[in-house]
Amino acid sequence: KQRPIWESLKLHKNHLARFDAIFTTQGQTDLKRIFSKIEQYCDAILTPQDSDYPDQLRPFQDYIPVLFVKGNIQLLNSAQIAIIGSRKPSPHGQKLAFDFADYLTQANYVITSGLAAGIDAAAHQGSMLKGKTIAVIGTGLDQVYPTHHQTLQQQILEHGGTLVSQFLPETPPIKPNFPKRNYIISALSLGTLVVEAGLNSGSLITAKIAAEQGKSVFAIPGNISQPYHQGCHQLIRDGAILVDHPIQIIEDLKTFQSTQFTDLHNTTKIAPTTISSATACAHPDVPDHLQAVFTQLTFEGKAVDQLALHLNLPIQVLNSLLTELELLGLCQQH
C-alpha cells in the first residue's frame, strides 16, 4: 500500500528496488538479522524527536535522521572539540594531538574524532588520561575500522566514552561513508583542530565542512619543508586560526574558566622526545642518569651517531641508555 507513496516522492529507482526487496522472504530474513545486530551492538537509537539527540545537529536542515549509539549517550550534548589530521603523521604530530587532547579534556571539553589511524587515534588516547572522548565511525557499530583499533574502541567505552554511527550494522567502510562521518564530527563540536594534514588530506574536507557550519577551525603550523604540514598551512591561508597551544583554542571559544592549568610547554608531556602518542602512557620522571640523553632528543629525531658525538659517549653506552628510555616509553626508534 505504501509503494505509490514512495513513487510519488520521486525517489531513485534503486531506493524503490530496496523497498520492494524488504517484502521478499530473503528481505525479511535480512531485516531480522539487522534488528538482532542493532540490539546486540547499540545502546540507543536516536532520532530528532528524542531528548538525547544532540542539540548541535538540530539547526542544520540536513541533520542526521538516525544515530546509532553505544556507550555514554549524555556525552553527545557536551561541549566538544574535534581533533583530526593525517592517518600517517610524524611522531611530533601524534604527540601534539595526544597532548592537546589531554589538556583540553582537563578544561572540561570532550574530544571528538573519527577513530582513524594516526592523529585521530592519538587524540582519543590523549583524551582518556583524564577525560572522555567520542568516536564517530564510518561503518556500522558491529564493525571496527581500521581493524587494529579493536582495543582502542573498547578502551573508549571502558573510559566512559561514546561510539556513534549513522549507519546500520553490516555497513562496510566504503569511501562515501567518511565525508558523512566527518559532517557529524564537525557538527557536534564547537571547533575543529587540524593537527597535521597534507594537501590531499580528508581533514581539509572536514575543516571546510566545519567552516560552512559556522564552526571555528584551528590549525597547527609546522615545518614548511615537510609535506604533512602543507594542508595546515593552506587552511591558515584560507582563514583558519593558527594555534600553538591549546589554551588559545579555549580563549577563542570564549569559554575559558579561571581554573589554573599547568603550562603544557613546561611538562614532561611536551618535552622533546620522539615518542609516538600511540605508545604514550603516564610519563614517569626521567632518572638522573638518563637526563643528559633525554634532553637531547627531539620530535624530529636524531641519528645515534650525532647523539654520540654531541654527548661524547661510546655507541654501546648510548644504545644502552636509549633502550632504557624506550622501555620507559619516553622515546621511540625510527
Side-chain angles (χ1 to χ4, degrees), residues 112-276:
T112 300
S113 197
L115 201 69
I119 294 299
D120 287 19
H124 288 308
Q125 289 164 334
S127 64
M128 288 188 287
L129 283 183
K130 297 184 177 71
K132 293 179 173 61
T133 185
I134 295 173
V136 184
I137 63 176
T139 67
L141 288 176
D142 61 321
Q143 301 186 43
V144 180
Y145 181 78
T147 55
H148 64 268
H149 277 176
Q150 178 73 53
T151 300
L152 175 59
Q153 181 170 296
Q154 188 59 37
Q155 288 173 339
I156 290 172
L157 295 173
E158 291 173 354
H159 283 80
T162 311
L163 303 177
V164 184
S165 175
Q166 63 176 302
F167 302 109
L168 284 166
E170 299 187 1
T171 302
I174 57 177
K175 190 173 182 179
N177 291 357
F178 293 97
K180 297 175 183 178
R181 174 205 66 176
N182 297 345
Y183 179 94
I184 298 178
I185 291 174
S186 58
L188 285 174
S189 306
L190 296 170
T192 295
L193 170 66
V194 183
V195 178
E196 272 187 0
L199 287 174
N200 296 320
S201 172
S203 300
L204 272 64
I205 298 175
T206 309
K208 180 181 179 182
I209 293 172
E212 292 171 348
Q213 292 170 338
K215 304 300 182 73
S216 297
V217 178
F218 307 93
I220 299 177
N223 189 328
I224 61 173
S225 65
Q226 298 296 334
Y228 38 68
H229 295 301
Q230 292 176 358
C232 289
H233 294 163
Q234 182 63 52
L235 288 174
I236 293 168
R237 287 194 295 273
D238 291 341
I241 301 167
L242 186 156
V243 294
D244 58 18
H245 194 287
I247 200 169
Q248 296 162 346
I249 298 174
I250 297 171
E251 291 173 343
D252 189 84
L253 294 175
K254 303 184 186 301
T255 55
F256 178 71
Q257 299 175 341
S258 59
T259 307
Q260 296 297 316
F261 298 108
T262 303
D263 184 356
L264 189 65
H265 290 292
N266 290 332
T267 69
T268 57
K269 290 179 183 176
I270 205 69
T273 74
T274 55
I275 184 174
S276 164

Side-chain angles (χ1 to χ4, degrees), residues 42-64:
C42 302
D43 293 329
I45 301 174
L46 301 179
T47 69
Q49 289 71 43
D50 296 312
S51 59
D52 288 324
Y53 185 87
D55 290 334
Q56 306 94 300
L57 301 183
R58 297 183 188 278
F60 304 109
Q61 291 183 344
D62 53 348
Y63 56 74
I64 311 302

